Amino acid sequence: MSHAVDTAAPVRRRSQWPAAVDGLVAGVLTVGLATLLGAVLDRLGLAGGQPAPVAAVGGAFIDRTPPWLKDLAIAAFGTNDKRALLVGTVVLLAVVCAGVGLLAGRRLRPALVAYAVVGAVGMLAVLSRPGAAPVDVVPTLVGTVVGLWFLQRSHQRAGRSTASADAGPSRRWVLGGAVGGTAAYVGTLLGGTSAAAVASRAAAPAPAVATPLTIPVGADLKVPGATPYVVPNDAFYRIDTALVVPRLDAREWRLRVTGLVEREVEIDWATLQREPMREALVTLTCVSNEVGGDLAGNAVWTGWPVRELLAMARPLAGADMVLQTSSDGWTCGTPLDVLTDDRNALLAVRMNGEPLPFEHGFPVRLVVPGLYGYVSATKWVTGLKVTTFAKDVGYWTPRGWSARGPIKTASRIDVPRAGATVPAGRVAVAGVAWAQHRGISAVEVSVDEGPWQPARLAVDASSDAWRQWVYEWDAPHGSHLLRVRATDGTGRQQITAEAPPAPDGATGLHTVPVTVE
C-alpha cells in the first residue's frame, strides 16, 4: 500500500500550533539561506544591488513611504526608525509564515502557492533595488525552494502520524531552525562587514588643511545638561533611507559630474586627497525635525569645496540644479547657485577630525550649509548631474516635499527638560538656536507667556553653525511654561505659527513645562 498523500485533500485533524511552527521554520530556512547567499554574492562582487530579501523588502517599503508615515515613524522611533522597520518586517514575515503553515496543515497545495507568492514578492523587492542585477534574486529563489520543500516534507510526515506531529518539538524543527538561524547569523556577519572598506577607512590619510579651524573660547557655554557645541560622531543623529549601511572601499570610489556641463569630470579617492581641503563648522538639520526635536547636530567637517569640482566641469547656461546620487541610488536636488557660491559646501571626507563613519557617508558625502539634509546632504555620494528643476527631481520631491528646502530659523530648550522639577531660585534655562548661513543674532525666553527676555548668547563661531544661549531665571514655586524664540542674522524672527515638518520644515515655538519646588 502506498503512503503517498493526496496534496489536494485534507489530512486528519491535528493541533494547529505544530502546523504554525512548520511555517515559521520554513520561513527561518528561507530567510537564513537567502541572507547567507546574498552576503556571499556581495563578497564575491557579483551582486548588483541588495540581494538580502528582508533588507530589500524594507528598502522597497521605505521608497514607497508617504511623508506622513515617515514623520510618524521618526516621531515614534527617532534614529531607531530603521531598527523598528526591520523588527516590524521580521514580525510580519513570521506571522505570514505561521499562517501559511496553518493553511498547509489543512490544504497543502494552496499553502505552497501562497508561500511561492511570498517568495516572489521578496524577489520583486530585490529587483526593485537600485543597481539590481538578475543574479540578485538567486538567494531568495533558493531560500524559497528550500522553504517549499520543508513545508511539503512536514505535511507528509504529519499525514503519516498525527500523534507524532502533536508530540512536541520534533527533530525537523530543531534541525531546520538551527540551519536557518545559523545561516542568517553568518550572513549578517558577512554582510555587515567589508574588510576592504574597513581597511580603506583605517588607512584614510589626514588631509593637509591650509587654515586649520579653531573654535573660539566661549562658543560652548558648557551648561550642565545642554547639548555640546560640537556633537560627538557616535551621538550625531542619523536619518536616511539606507536600511543597510553601504560600506564602500574608498580605493574603488568614483564621483562623476555629468549633465549640462561643457565636459564631464570624474575623480577618484586618490585625486580627491590631493585637493586643497578646508575645515568648516556646519550644523546639519533633518527636515523631519519637530519643533524642539533633536534631529540636528553640529560638527567640524573637512573637505574640498564642491564648487571647485563643478568649475572643472563648467555648467552650461540654463542649468539651475544638481542632482546628487548616492551609491544606494538615493537622490536629492540641490540648487546650483548654493553649490557654487562662497559658502562652505563641501565634499566632506572627515567628521570631527576622523574619517567619516560609515553611517555618516564614508568615504565621501556632501555637506551644504543652509539647506535641510533631504535636498543637500547626500551620503556615499557617487554622482553629480548638472540639470534643471524642471527636468529632474530628487527622491523626496515626488513624495510631497518641497523641491528646495531652505532651513528655517529654529530654537530649542535643552535644560530644563520638559516635565522636569527644579529647585526654586536661580535656574539656567539653556539650549541652541540655528539659522544656517544666516546666523543667530538674538534669542529670547518667555515665562508663562509673559514678556520676552533676552538670553545671553555664546560666542558666534560661524553663521553656518548653531549658537548656544542661556537665560538665568529666578524661578518661583509652582508650575511654569518656558518658551524660546530666535532672531536670525538678517533680523527676522522665527515663525511662531505651528506647522508640521511636511512639506518644508516644522515651525512654531518650543515650549517646556517645568515644576519649581
Side-chain angles (χ1 to χ4, degrees):
M1 174 179 283
S2 171
H3 290 286
V5 178
D6 181 357
T7 58
V11 299
R12 288 172 289 176
R13 287 185 61 83
R14 56 187 289 220
S15 176
Q16 292 184 352
W17 72 267
V21 174
D22 284 340
L24 283 172
V25 175
V28 170
L29 275 169
T30 295
V31 172
L33 291 174
T35 301
L36 177 58
L37 293 175
V40 170
L41 283 183
D42 266 334
R43 281 304 184 99
L44 295 176
L46 300 176
Q50 176 52 263
V54 173
V57 169
F61 178 81
I62 290 175
D63 287 351
R64 290 157 181 79
T65 300
W68 66 267
L69 185 56
K70 170 181 176 285
D71 287 340
L72 182 63
I74 292 176
F77 301 107
T79 55
N80 291 314
D81 58 333
K82 296 169 190 63
R83 185 176 293 110
L85 176 59
L86 277 174
V87 171
T89 302
V90 171
V91 170
L92 177 60
L93 183 59
V95 171
V96 170
C97 289
V100 172
L102 288 172
L103 178 60
R106 293 172 173 79
R107 309 283 294 187
L108 178 59
R109 189 170 295 160
L112 295 179
V113 171
Y115 198 88
V117 169
V118 173
V121 170
M123 286 183 271
L124 288 174
V126 167
L127 288 174
S128 74
R129 306 317 299 143
V135 71
D136 292 350
V137 304
V138 171
T140 305
L141 177 61
V142 171
T144 301
V145 169
V146 172
L148 288 169
W149 170 83
F150 182 87
L151 275 178
Q152 188 166 27
R153 290 280 295 175
S154 298
H155 178 92
Q156 290 172 344
R157 292 187 179 186
R160 293 191 186 108
S161 176
T162 303
S164 66
D166 287 342
S170 69
R171 213 169 94 183
R172 71 176 180 274
W173 294 346
V174 175
L175 183 59
V179 171
T182 301
Y185 178 72
V186 174
T188 300
L189 289 180
L190 289 175
T193 303
S194 169
V198 172
S200 69
R201 182 177 182 273
V209 177
T211 306
L213 178 71
T214 300
I215 299 176
V217 176
D220 192 335
L221 295 175
K222 301 187 184 302
V223 176
T227 304
Y229 182 67
V230 174
V231 178
N233 292 357
D234 59 359
F236 207 93
Y237 81 95
R238 178 202 162 200
I239 297 291
D240 51 54
T241 64
L243 200 57
V244 177
V245 175
R247 291 177 178 263
L248 308 182
D249 182 346
R251 293 164 296 189
E252 297 181 358
W253 175 83
R254 301 289 187 277
L255 174 61
R256 296 186 65 219
V257 182
T258 61
L260 300 177
V261 293
E262 290 187 19
R263 70 184 187 97
E264 294 188 353
V265 176
E266 180 177 285
I267 61 170
D268 58 16
W269 177 248
T271 302
L272 179 59
Q273 295 302 310
R274 291 194 294 268
E275 299 297 341
M277 301 278 180
R278 65 174 55 190
E279 292 180 332
L281 274 167
V282 180
T283 297
L284 301 185
T285 307
C286 178
V287 72
S288 295
N289 198 40
E290 300 278 356
V291 172
D294 60 358
L295 301 181
N298 189 42
V300 177
W301 306 93
T302 306
W304 185 41
V306 68
R307 63 175 172 270
E308 303 294 341
L309 177 62
L310 291 172
M312 293 169 61
R314 297 191 293 275
L316 299 176
D320 62 4
M321 188 257 270
V322 174
L323 189 71
Q324 304 179 25
T325 302
S326 168
S327 67
D328 67 350
W330 187 83
T331 59
C332 74
T334 309
L336 177 61
D337 59 350
V338 170
L339 296 178
T340 54
D341 64 15
D342 61 354
R343 77 185 69 198
N344 284 317
L346 303 177
L347 290 168
V349 297
R350 296 178 82 81
M351 179 179 183
N352 292 331
E354 301 176 0
L356 290 172
F358 288 112
E359 294 79 4
H360 292 289
F362 182 83
V364 185
R365 67 168 296 162
L366 264 290
V367 171
V368 183
L371 298 181
Y372 288 115
Y374 81 105
V375 293
S376 66
T378 302
K379 302 173 184 177
W380 319 289
V381 64
T382 58
L384 300 177
K385 178 185 177 184
V386 180
T387 180
T388 66
F389 280 103
K391 182 178 180 181
D392 287 299
V393 293
Y395 180 93
W396 285 112
T397 304
R399 292 166 171 82
W401 295 84
S402 170
R404 296 176 183 264
I407 287 178
K408 297 175 179 178
T409 303
S411 55
R412 184 181 76 204
I413 299 172
D414 287 342
V415 290
R417 304 289 181 185
T421 298
V422 298
R426 185 59 62 92
V427 173
V429 181
V432 289
W434 59 86
Q436 289 91 310
H437 209 56
R438 301 186 304 278
I440 294 294
S441 62
V443 172
E444 298 166 290
V445 174
S446 169
V447 180
D448 298 329
E449 299 187 356
W452 290 99
Q453 302 294 332
R456 177 167 60 89
L457 292 175
V459 172
D460 190 8
S462 170
S463 63
D464 293 335
W466 61 20
R467 199 166 181 184
Q468 291 187 339
W469 57 268
V470 63
Y471 172 67
E472 301 294 343
W473 175 39
D474 291 320
H477 292 280
S479 298
H480 302 280
L481 287 177
L482 304 174
R483 291 190 300 162
V484 62
R485 71 180 184 187
T487 302
D488 72 16
T490 69
R492 182 174 299 178
Q493 287 182 347
Q494 73 179 89
I495 300 171
T496 59
E498 295 184 1
D504 58 0
T507 59
L509 301 183
H510 190 207
T511 302
V512 172
V514 296
T515 299
V516 180
E517 294 183 345

